Amino acid sequence: MKKILIGTHNKGKFREIAYLLSKKYKKISPISLKIPSPKETSKSFSGNSKLKVNFFSKFVKYPVISDDSGLCIKSLNNMPGIYSSRLAKKHGSFTKAMIYILKKMKIKKNRSATFVCSLSYKHPKKKIVNVTGIIKGTISSKIIGKKGFGYDPIFIPRNYNKTFGQFSKVRKMKMDHRFLAFKKLKKKIKTL
Ligand code: ITT
């Protein structure tokens, strides 16, 4: 069976990318191979996404797919953005980071936000293929929903009246920023 390394230590992301990939692949996690995470030194999603796929490719001889993603809130100058994961670490949990965000949003009129996913694929000895998926929405007034992961309970996708935390896992995986990025990637790499 063909192997692919899903280069992420985030279990929520791993589940979503594994779901999107063809059944033909045996999906390998860097956790099972005891591969650490690289330092995210870039100032952009695409920079960090490429940096991750390059890093993980050094450990295996088969294709690697990596994602750098995050929540960008318009009235907070697109924060936490590339610092989405680091904000949760700084506050001790996603719940605490979401409480912090909701507090900051109390005085804001504009609640527009986007979830961004920069997805990179690397086949050994070939160049990186990088694409971006974006889903628009708004920030809810409360933390609602127990499904999904990360910031899902405060993001309401456009044209819906519930948060990603209230969507079934499968429904969310078929519409989110990662899905939209994957759709673009699949057009370029048909075997995925
Ligand atoms: P890896 O670098 O190992 O992939 P990470 O969690 O550090 O794991 P990022 O640096 O890309 O990943 O950080 C993205 C953050 O944004 C992360 O904390 C996620 O929980 C959050 N995030 C990304 N996509 C999300 C989604 O679909 N739903 C909820 N939160 C999401």
Side-chain angles (χ1 to χ4, degrees), residues 33-46:
L33 299 179
K34 300 201 164 62
I35 304 173
S37 297
K39 238 199 159 76
E40 294 180 26
T41 50
S42 173
K43 291 267 181 283
S44 66
F45 287 113
S46 60

Side-chain angles (χ1 to χ4, degrees), residues 72-81 108:
C72 301
I73 305 173
K74 205 169 183 182
S75 59
L76 301 181
N77 298 320
N78 286 327
M79 288 300 281
K108 307 286 185 191

Side-chain angles (χ1 to χ4, degrees), residues 8 14 29 46 56 71 75 79 95 97-98 102 105 107-108 116-117 129 137 139 152 163-164 171 175 177 183-184:
T8 177
F14 185 93
S29 156
S46 60
F56 289 115
L71 178 64
S75 59
M79 288 300 281
T95 304
M98 288 189 284
L102 293 180
M105 291 303 290
I107 52 160
K108 307 286 185 191
V116 179
C117 169
V129 181
I139 299 298
D152 282 339
T163 69
F164 265 166
R171 183 71 190 95
M175 66 185 283
H177 46 311
K183 218 162 81 173
K184 287 190 191 170

Side-chain angles (χ1 to χ4, degrees), residues 51-77:
L51 171 159
K52 285 184 204 182
V53 90
N54 260 333
F55 175 83
F56 289 115
S57 291
K58 296 202 174 95
F59 294 87
V60 295
K61 291 195 172 72
Y62 45 85
V64 178
I65 186 165
S66 280
D67 131 325
D68 195 58
S69 46
L71 178 64
C72 301
I73 305 173
K74 205 169 183 182
S75 59
L76 301 181
N77 298 320

Side-chain angles (χ1 to χ4, degrees), residues 108-129:
K108 307 286 185 191
K109 280 204 180 80
N110 186 344
R111 304 189 73 85
S112 304
T114 53
F115 253 131
V116 179
C117 169
S118 176
L119 200 58
S120 294
Y121 171 83
K122 192 170 182 324
H123 189 278
K125 288 175 196 156
K126 285 193 192 162
K127 279 188 184 165
I128 295 173
V129 181

